Amino acid sequence: MDEHEARLKRLRMRSWRRGTKEMDLILGPFSDSDLAGLSPAELDLYEALLEENDQDLYPWITARLGDARPGPAALSPLLDRIARHAQGSLGPK
């Protein structure tokens, strides 16, 4: 396994084992479907996002399902992408 694949595997595991079930269900599926398509710079941002605690991340992401845009500006594009993914996979069918 090369270094990039090992990094993706590590990030997927961290995404699925967050500490709160809500964030597992948001970040886990996102990591399974979208991580491989992220650029190295985006992976760096995702890694920084994973350093945030779930009590902050959850409202930052779920508020984006409406019109609010809370959270650090540097993470905003990634938070928007995760929110769109969550809405598509967890929202009403």
Side-chain angles (χ1 to χ4, degrees):
M1 179 180 308
D2 70 12
E3 186 178 323
H4 180 71
E5 285 300 316
R7 183 183 190 192
L8 291 177
K9 185 176 179 180
R10 187 173 51 252
L11 291 173
R12 279 189 201 101
M13 179 175 285
R14 290 180 63 199
S15 298
W16 276 106
R17 293 187 172 85
R18 292 295 305 163
T20 66
K21 193 59 157 173
E22 295 85 355
M23 288 311 301
D24 292 349
L25 293 173
I26 291 171
L27 294 178
F30 174 81
S31 70
D32 287 346
S33 67
D34 287 34
L35 275 189
L38 296 181
S39 70
E42 289 171 320
L43 285 174
D44 290 344
L45 281 175
Y46 189 75
E47 208 156 11
L49 180 136
L50 291 178
E51 294 298 321
E52 301 290 344
N53 70 55
D54 288 352
Q55 290 73 26
D56 291 329
L57 277 177
Y58 185 76
W60 293 349
I61 292 169
T62 57
R64 284 170 157 66
L65 300 176
D67 289 329
R69 296 289 183 264
L75 296 177
S76 193
L78 188 55
L79 291 167
D80 289 342
R81 186 171 178 175
I82 293 168
R84 282 191 306 273
H85 184 273
Q87 187 172 31
S89 64
L90 299 174
K93 303 286 182 206

